[in-house]
Amino acid sequence: MKQLRRVIFWCHLLAGTLAGIVIFLMSITGVLLAYEKQISYWADTRDYHIAPPSSDARRLPLETLLARVRETQPAAPSNITTRSAPSAPATFGYTGGRNIYVNPYTGETLGEGSPRVRSFFRSVTDWHRWLGAKGETRAAARAITGAANFCFLFLVMSGFYLWWPRIWTRKHFRKGLWFRRGISGKARDFNWHNVIGFWSALPLFIVVLSAVVISYTWASNLVYRLAGEAPPPQRAAAPAPSQGATDQRAEAVPLDGLDRTFARAEQQVAGWKSISLQLPAKADAPLTFTIDSGTGGQPQKRAQLVLDRASGEVLRWEPFSSYTTARRLRSYLRFAHTGEVAGLAGQTIAALVSLGGAFLVWTGLSLAWRRFRGWSARRSGTKQVGIPAEDSDSEGVAETR
């Protein structure tokens, strides 16, 4: 067991040293992205104060809102989102991520919100997923971040194993559970590394495991196979249409039937918070509504409704409960990565453990550097200034790690 522990320790140290910088970058950007949805929506709508004209005021019909937006905007929207909150504006989405906010009671165009904030989050996302790479180099960058996620998963698992004391006493457990005062240098880094690693182990394992599933097709397929289901076929990425072609196609679609079907979608789920309509490309195409009763990142509170445009008949109704076990698990994992699956509390936990991941990298690399300098000093037969002698806690690093 001692030899096994030593092997796992050196694999842990090597993996952390090789992937540390990438893991640190993904952890920091993960913290910045923790509340992206809330911050973006607040920044977009903070200057738009909407109040119903009267207590019994009703919003304008969807067809009327869309007609007025088309009068003021040169491009045609690709989707429409309305929210149940009386003070919330209607959102008209365009290709390229641009949004237009509209007063639902008057049809007045309020503006585009905050392009700078959305641009900031797009840039942070680029660094989180592709290390800031553009174009064809993204494939190589994605391979690097995927490998770093896999290394991080191993670090979390092996780190918990190495943390576990070989001697089960209260004294040994307390050393790895709480921060200690009055220590510095190697002892401080060792204490921080162990304490942060222990308290973040379980949520960090979930966050990183979901990242591996997102990074690798084989890992995503494995989720289905473990649930006893065949993985879904991979979809080929369709080329993005030109802006002009998309706008012209959307403009040609008539507006009739939207109000009736939207009213039907409102009745489908009691207590809905937002309903999004993807505008069809053809006049006879069915209308697809996404009905959300959660925060936007909770798949278990989202459903899809497809209605026939002419008759309003339900062609397909897909609540989360209708998904197969594997599909539900895969959806949970997707939003477990950001913590959104558990709402605001989950996002906060994900942000904290992402920050903890950054500290784990920092203290881990510091410990590795101190170990290397100590080894170098011993080989040269000199004593380097600035490297304190190992105290009782640090002495245990070689033994327990």
Side-chain angles (χ1 to χ4, degrees), residues 36-102:
E36 177 186 4
K37 283 187 174 68
Q38 290 88 343
I39 295 175
S40 295
Y41 186 72
W42 171 83
D44 284 345
T45 61
R46 68 185 186 277
D47 296 327
Y48 306 147
H49 304 287
I50 299 175
S54 61
S55 58
D56 58 346
R58 298 176 63 87
R59 299 178 182 182
L60 292 176
L62 195 62
E63 295 175 14
T64 303
L65 283 178
L66 183 55
R68 294 190 180 181
V69 168
R70 285 181 173 181
E71 291 174 357
T72 59
Q73 299 296 319
S78 58
N79 61 80
I80 306 171
T81 300
T82 62
R83 291 174 171 80
S84 59
S87 60
T91 307
F92 288 76
Y94 293 79
T95 54
R98 186 171 69 99
N99 289 327
I100 295 293
Y101 295 92
V102 177

Side-chain angles (χ1 to χ4, degrees), residues 302-306 316-323 327:
R302 192 166 57 222
Q304 192 173 84
L305 176 67
V306 180
R316 188 171 72 251
W317 167 240
E318 288 189 352
F320 186 76
S321 59
S322 69
Y323 293 174
R327 187 178 176 187

Side-chain angles (χ1 to χ4, degrees), residues 5-23:
R5 197 178 188 91
R6 187 178 298 275
V7 171
I8 292 178
F9 164 70
W10 283 108
C11 291
H12 183 90
L13 186 147
L14 181 62
T17 303
L18 292 176
I21 300 301
V22 178
I23 294 173

Side-chain angles (χ1 to χ4, degrees), residues 97-155:
R98 186 171 69 99
N99 289 327
I100 295 293
Y101 295 92
V102 177
N103 188 318
Y105 301 100
T106 65
E108 174 191 3
T109 298
L110 302 174
E112 296 189 27
S114 179
R116 289 185 177 180
V117 172
R118 292 188 175 275
S119 176
F120 167 76
F121 280 119
R122 281 196 298 270
S123 178
V124 175
T125 300
D126 288 346
W127 280 97
H128 186 75
R129 294 178 179 175
W130 305 293
L131 304 178
K134 303 292 183 181
E136 297 180 355
T137 59
R138 279 189 172 180
R142 185 176 179 85
I144 293 174
T145 57
N149 281 325
F150 200 79
C151 286
F152 201 4
L153 182 63
F154 169 76
L155 289 170

Side-chain angles (χ1 to χ4, degrees), residues 333-360:
L333 286 173
R334 161 62 184 86
F335 291 97
H337 183 64
T338 57
E340 293 175 280
V341 69
L344 188 61
Q347 290 177 257
T348 302
I349 292 174
L352 289 175
V353 298
S354 294
L355 183 61
F359 273 98
L360 288 174

Side-chain angles (χ1 to χ4, degrees), residues 150 212-213 215-223 225:
F150 200 79
V212 172
V213 172
S215 298
Y216 293 104
T217 302
W218 63 262
S220 179
N221 291 342
L222 183 60
V223 173
R225 293 192 175 98

